[in-house]
Amino acid sequence: MTTPSPESGRNSRRKQPALPGAAEQTVPLFEARQKIQPRAIGGLFARWRWAMVWATQLFFYGVPWLQWGDRQSLLFDLQTMRFYLFGLVLYPQDFIYLAVLLIVCALALFLFTTMAGRLWCGFSCPQTVYTEIFLWLERVTEGDRSARLRLDHSGWTLEKILKRSAKHGSWLLLSLWTGFTFVGYFVPIRTLAVEVMALQGPWQMFWIFFYGLATYGNAGFLREQVCKHMCPYARFQSAMLDKDTLIVTYDSQRGEPRGMRSKARDSAAATAALGDCIDCTLCVQVCPVGIDIRNGLQYECIGCGLCVDACDSVMDKVHLPRGLIRFATQNGMDNRWSKAQMLRRVLRPRVLVYTAITLAFCAALAMSLAQRTPLKVNVMRDRASLARIAPGGQLENLYRLQIMNATENAQRYRISATGLEGLTVEEEDRHIALAAIESRWLTVRARIPYGSAAPGPHAMEFVVTAEGKDPMTVREQTVFQVPN
Ligand code: SF4
Ligand code: SF4
């Protein structure tokens, strides 16, 4: 894999020492970006990419509008610190689920990268998906690749102004809609829509414009620069690839020496001396990052497979077998393995280990979510008040209990305590009613008969039980202090 030189990121110019007799030369260390105008191509991988665009965008734009009961089905409500996920309501205390989910995502990324390279980058990364949509809008408003190249090099005519306005207008509309949808995952989207129409909610407006402009800049202008220079994944993915990873590869043994089949050289002998690559450069023209895969695997390659589609279409036209550029492993290429031989090697120990760990985390997450009790209890001793003698001659300790009803129905709870002989909770503290998704701090008095326990700390636990049709119990340990 080729990597940039350590100096390639510096925007500077260095004077080369002049050779005797030679004119002094200035060599730029920073190469200006060449604008890439990729050619549209059809084929298997292009269809997969569009299928992923539809799947991800239907989810992204559609889900915030789905209702679950009388609330939004998927909402990260930062104001109340609640995360609604269809029938599930999660709190900051449930952060562990999010942490495990992120670990599962990271492991799945490692697993797929080890098996088939940068599948994520080529097919489902938001940067790739939005660049694809923006490119489509560019094609609709400005024409195909050659028309766009002509437009780039032409002066500012009325036609250019109109086409550029249409392109940027459509980009901006889509970007702002994307920003609005994104904010709609954090603020109920129906309320947000009303606020936006009334030009209210300065913070919401700020984040809609911020995210919208980020989309406009990244997908409209920066494009492959994000993948090349900003995304860290491109840099460490090489550590996850090995010789049995499926990657987009040019079959140089078959393709070289490359050459055009020009009429002048169209003799049988001249054609026989050439490889299958007709040097049409279509694979380079369709590449969204503007590389030539015939130079070998490069860190810029996002594994989108469009060069495979392009080359297959060329091979069909010249009546040669498809697959001059294909998904293959390095071992498969070197040893001329069949597809079946390569696929067998995909299930190697490294892949099996990643799979086992990923499945173990998924199972742990599913089990702990299934066993999760929608009732949270936190106990704190009231440090302002030490043990005291209560009316009736009992020894009393005070506690602060936080009870959180994590269901979406009102609940009644019964509070009791165990662990010490004669331990009771004062009558008026024993029952509490909480509304749906309500959390409340209470002061609870626990008492034991005076002299029934030796001086010092004693372990005890509060037992909070939900009454009604969804019975559930949570036990929380604490300490009962008996003074000397
Ligand atoms: S080289 Fe091929 S697979 Fe890699 S980014 Fe370019 S078109 Fe996609
Ligand atoms: S598309 Fe195929 S034939 Fe054309 S230049 Fe690329 S590798 Fe060669």
Side-chain angles (χ1 to χ4, degrees):
M1 185 183 295
T2 55
T3 49
S5 81
E7 293 176 325
S8 61
R10 287 187 217 145
N11 187 2
S12 60
R13 287 170 177 264
R14 178 184 291 172
K15 282 190 176 173
Q16 297 290 301
L19 294 172
E24 196 176 77
Q25 226 188 341
T26 301
V27 179
L29 291 179
F30 176 80
E31 191 186 357
R33 180 199 175 209
Q34 303 286 325
K35 186 175 177 189
I36 296 169
Q37 290 285 17
R39 182 186 288 273
I41 190 78
L44 178 69
F45 295 103
R47 282 197 295 278
W48 268 110
R49 273 163 68 83
W50 274 105
M52 289 305 294
V53 168
W54 277 105
T56 52
Q57 298 316 292
L58 278 177
F59 182 91
F60 176 72
Y61 293 111
V63 164
W65 295 98
L66 294 181
Q67 291 290 105
W68 186 269
D70 56 358
R71 62 157 170 86
Q72 193 167 314
S73 56
L74 185 57
L75 180 68
F76 301 82
D77 192 337
L78 295 180
Q79 216 168 13
T80 58
M81 300 295 275
R82 284 173 200 150
F83 173 31
Y84 299 94
L85 182 65
F86 297 92
L88 201 66
V89 186
L90 298 174
Y91 293 84
Q93 291 88 333
D94 296 314
F95 184 77
I96 183 74
Y97 297 117
L98 184 62
V100 176
L101 188 66
L102 290 177
I103 292 173
V104 168
C105 291
L107 285 168
L109 192 63
F110 293 167
L111 174 63
F112 289 122
T113 307
T114 308
M115 286 200 313
R118 295 175 69 179
L119 279 186
W120 162 258
C121 302
F123 294 85
S124 33
C125 172
Q127 178 62 23
T128 302
V129 167
Y130 282 102
T131 301
E132 191 68 15
I133 300 173
F134 273 51
L135 271 170
W136 176 77
L137 288 171
E138 198 166 51
R139 273 197 297 277
V140 170
T141 50
E142 292 188 345
D144 62 11
R145 179 174 186 263
S146 43
R148 297 200 306 271
L149 285 171
R150 256 199 321 277
L151 205 65
D152 281 349
H153 294 110
S154 74
W156 281 99
T157 58
L158 180 64
E159 182 202 4
K160 183 167 176 170
I161 291 170
L162 288 177
K163 285 185 169 176
R164 285 277 145 97
S165 306
K167 177 177 85 172
H168 288 284
S170 60
W171 281 1
L172 277 168
L173 275 179
L174 179 68
S175 302
L176 289 175
W177 187 252
T178 306
F180 168 76
T181 305
F182 183 73
V183 176
Y185 278 90
F186 299 91
V187 176
I189 200 160
R190 288 156 200 261
T191 314
L192 183 67
V194 174
E195 284 179 354
V196 167
M197 280 190 275
L199 295 179
Q200 287 171 350
W203 276 110
Q204 285 90 320
M205 296 294 245
F206 169 80
W207 286 112
I208 289 172
F209 277 101
F210 180 86
Y211 194 78
L213 290 179
T215 307
Y216 178 67
N218 285 337
F221 300 94
L222 291 176
R223 295 190 173 172
E224 80 290 346
Q225 303 293 304
V226 175
C227 312
K228 282 177 169 177
H229 307 301
M230 292 159 75
C231 175
Y233 178 50
R235 301 291 160 161
F236 71 76
Q237 49 122 9
S238 56
M240 285 180 269
L241 304 187
D242 61 24
K243 289 186 169 184
D244 287 310
T245 302
L246 284 166
I247 45 173
V248 176
T249 322
Y250 167 68
D251 188 345
S252 54
Q253 286 188 44
R254 190 185 135 189
E256 301 296 320
R258 67 186 78 156
M260 302 275 279
R261 268 62 167 174
S262 67
K263 281 193 178 139
R265 299 173 59 188
D266 210 7
S267 70
T271 303
L274 290 175
D276 281 358
C277 174
I278 64 167
D279 209 11
C280 62
T281 71
L282 196 62
C283 51
V284 183
Q285 292 173 38
V286 300
C287 179
V289 295
I291 58 170
D292 186 344
I293 195 64
R294 295 173 299 170
N295 296 336
L297 179 64
Q298 292 139 76
Y299 83 97
E300 296 98 328
C301 175
I302 57 170
C304 65
L306 293 182
C307 53
V308 178
D309 283 342
C311 192
D312 280 350
S313 71
V314 174
M315 292 295 107
D316 288 349
K317 280 189 197 130
V318 297
H319 306 295
L320 287 169
R322 289 177 159 209
L324 178 57
I325 301 177
R326 59 183 182 270
F327 270 92
T329 66
Q330 200 180 327
N331 273 335
M333 278 287 184
D334 294 346
N335 302 310
R336 313 309 293 171
W337 283 345
S338 68
K339 212 180 265 182
Q341 282 173 306
M342 275 188 291
L343 289 179
R344 269 200 296 278
R345 284 293 287 259
V346 168
L347 293 180
R348 53 202 185 278
R350 190 173 168 186
V351 170
L352 296 178
V353 169
Y354 279 143
T355 309
I357 298 175
T358 310
L359 289 179
F361 270 96
C362 287
L365 182 62
M367 271 168 56
S368 79
L369 273 176
Q371 289 172 0
R372 177 178 171 272
T373 314
L375 163 61
K376 314 250 170 246
V377 179
N378 290 313
V379 180
M380 281 171 61
R381 269 188 54 83
D382 189 340
R383 298 193 184 279
S385 145
L386 294 173
R388 65 181 186 192
I389 303 295
Q394 289 195 304
L395 186 64
E396 179 179 277
N397 274 200
L398 289 183
Y399 299 87
R400 299 268 297 149
L401 248 71
Q402 186 191 30
I403 301 185
M404 195 185 291
N405 173 15
T407 71
E408 294 187 75
N409 304 312
Q411 294 277 2
R412 282 183 62 79
Y413 298 101
R414 191 177 67 250
I415 303 169
S416 58
T418 61
L420 279 168
E421 194 188 328
L423 180 63
T424 55
V425 171
E426 186 51 18
E427 177 60 35
E428 60 259 41
D429 300 337
R430 281 189 203 158
H431 296 278
I432 171 176
L434 290 185
I437 325 272
E438 187 189 349
S439 164
R440 198 182 300 164
W441 280 99
L442 332 154
T443 301
V444 176
R445 292 161 287 177
R447 291 176 180 172
I448 59 170
Y450 187 78
S452 64
H458 297 268
M460 60 163 279
E461 60 182 19
F462 279 104
V463 182
V464 181
T465 307
E467 300 170 326
K469 58 179 170 38
D470 298 325
M472 60 193 120
T473 299
V474 169
R475 295 170 173 275
E476 203 60 32
Q477 293 197 333
T478 185
V479 165
F480 191 97
Q481 196 69 42
V482 179
N484 290 318

